[in-house]
């Protein structure tokens, strides 16, 4: 089974090629991504947990990989991640539970890497 | 134009009928909704902002009405709501911006009601 | 508030223009729609309830209007419609409940018309 | 290639951990899932076929694994599953056909296991 | 019934407030939007037709309003818009047809305004 | 890692079985697919790029495999594919970027096959 780190590496390989081909689009996308995750009225941890919850309800494995890792890096605890998944499950029903389970798998993988 | 309060009232009229018809489903749904928004590792305000962000990326007007109001009631400031919308826009692109604008309209309406 | 019958009429006005402009696409779409709703191993009522449940989880008001009416015309009872909505709520969470409430509103409107 | 049984096992491993972390959310989710699939005005087979069709239009591999198996266990015939997929294809277009093909793969796998 | 021009005006009123509150997010979003619609290997007309087709399959009325108008402004003919809708219908099934009908209504409204 | 050609082959194996089981649905689906991609006011290349962009915003790996290959076969250049992805990213945000990266991986695979 592909690890979540491999998923991130795979996506990064190809987004690098997208950046070469359409640099203005990607520059703007990264500016948007950065603007939305920078601490302001809400801190980065909260914003990454939100992005993770949206990744779960959007059925997006790549998003789950990136935002689970980013949430952990921003200091989110497993309990906080689980409660973000709780919101995703209430808002996304059965399919969200399926993807929430992947977020937990990603969380365990990235916790092991950082311990 | 229908107000967001009218949207909530309209939905409540019909969810009451759903509750009469399929009470066990609705009892479980409300338990799920309550479990996911009760303060724990994350507080209710944060969870309502997450639910709002998911409502925006899910293109769901009714969700925007309910969760904007609930976020305000849980003490979310306009700045916090705007930053939750920021995450939704980065995760949902152009369509999320359209629905984020509805969340701002709902926020203004519910702020006026509570002032 | 726009009635569900008006929603259907509005959509029909414009799908008629789509049919004029791209007749082969629309001929194929109607053949697909008919093939998927014709009684076979499953009867038409069951198939229309499925289409309604998908309309609810797809957040599609127009679909809810058309397939609620078609389910009633195929003989679906209010209890059967409610249980189809139950499946949609479990599979779609909070947003599905919002749209399920619209399906109940549509059901009441079309029941009144046919009584 | 990962089997659908492995997909189910993988998801179950991690949903068990979610249940440990957020037991009230999961208790409510399972109550919702059970309430929506219990026989009432519609039988369990019909409800599982509906859930499968929604899993297909929601682009959710995990849902396809669980609800294809549950539909078979509730007595759904291959012809009935195929007609549920037919509704999903009409409601979900090309992407639904892609996921319908996974449902057929899952159906074959689970039929072999139960023969 | 709300006109599509009113939909655009309503959204613009509130996106202006979003821009005031989170200017960096919105600056980046507009840069992304501009980068993706500027003529390059594909011309602006083609890109706006793509954005319209995505707006239709995303069930986003606001997107349909903005991108139908932008496609017309970029020189798209009714026949070209109809064929973009054809792709959306094949990729989005029944729900896409509902939203395609709104795109035709928007097209007629904006054609009348520009004649 | 599964190649995109293998994804296509896997899906074709099972859509062939769907065709056997529900031939009228599939005949209509293929007619719809053909009608929507045949050159008219827009050429096939443009339509396949649109379908690809929708596949990306719909988070559909199978669609990405089929429509990347079809776009290349219809004469789309890498630059044109990249700009179609640009529209998808602006309309779909972060999750669309994840799936856009898969489209680039598919593009490279199919270019290698045809060189």
């Amino acid at each position: 089974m592909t690890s979540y780190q491999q998923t991130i590496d795979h996506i990064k390989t190809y987004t690098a090629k997208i950046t070469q081909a359409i640099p203005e689009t990607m520059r703007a996308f990264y500016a948007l991504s950065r603007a939305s995750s920078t601490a302001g009225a809400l801190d980065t941890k909260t914003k990454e947990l939100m992005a993770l919850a949206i990744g779960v309800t959007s059925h997006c494995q790549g998003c789950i990989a990136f935002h689970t890792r980013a949430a952990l890096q921003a200091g989110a605890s497993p309990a906080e991640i689980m409660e973000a998944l709780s919101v995703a499950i209430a808002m996304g029903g059965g399919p969200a539970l399926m993807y929430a389970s992947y977020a937990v798998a990603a969380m365990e993988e990235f916790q092991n890497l950082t311990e």
Side-chain angles (χ1 to χ4, degrees), chain A:
Chain A
M1 199 161 276
T2 317
S3 78
Y4 287 90
Q5 186 57 54
Q6 284 175 307
T7 296
I8 287 179
D9 293 343
H10 181 76
I11 290 170
K12 279 193 166 171
T13 300
Y14 292 101
T15 50
K17 296 178 186 204
I18 298 178
T19 298
Q20 274 198 306
I22 47 172
E24 283 185 58
T25 294
M26 289 303 285
R27 198 158 29 232
F29 175 80
Y30 287 124
L32 175 59
S33 176
R34 207 166 39 243
S36 75
S37 62
T38 301
L42 300 172
D43 58 21
T44 298
K45 182 188 76 182
T46 300
K47 288 171 159 185
E48 285 297 341
L49 290 171
M50 277 178 186
L52 174 57
I54 295 171
V56 165
T57 55
S58 300
H59 307 171
C60 174
Q61 284 272 21
C63 308
I64 288 169
F66 275 94
H67 293 291
T68 299
R69 200 181 59 167
L72 287 168
Q73 286 172 341
S77 68
E80 289 169 329
I81 288 174
M82 287 294 192
E83 294 200 6
L85 298 179
S86 174
V87 178
I89 294 165
M91 291 299 285
L97 178 59
M98 304 293 106
Y99 284 86
S101 79
Y102 304 148
V104 176
M107 183 180 79
E108 292 202 350
E109 179 187 324
F110 291 123
Q111 281 182 302
N112 291 337
L113 284 176
T114 58
E115 275 170 334

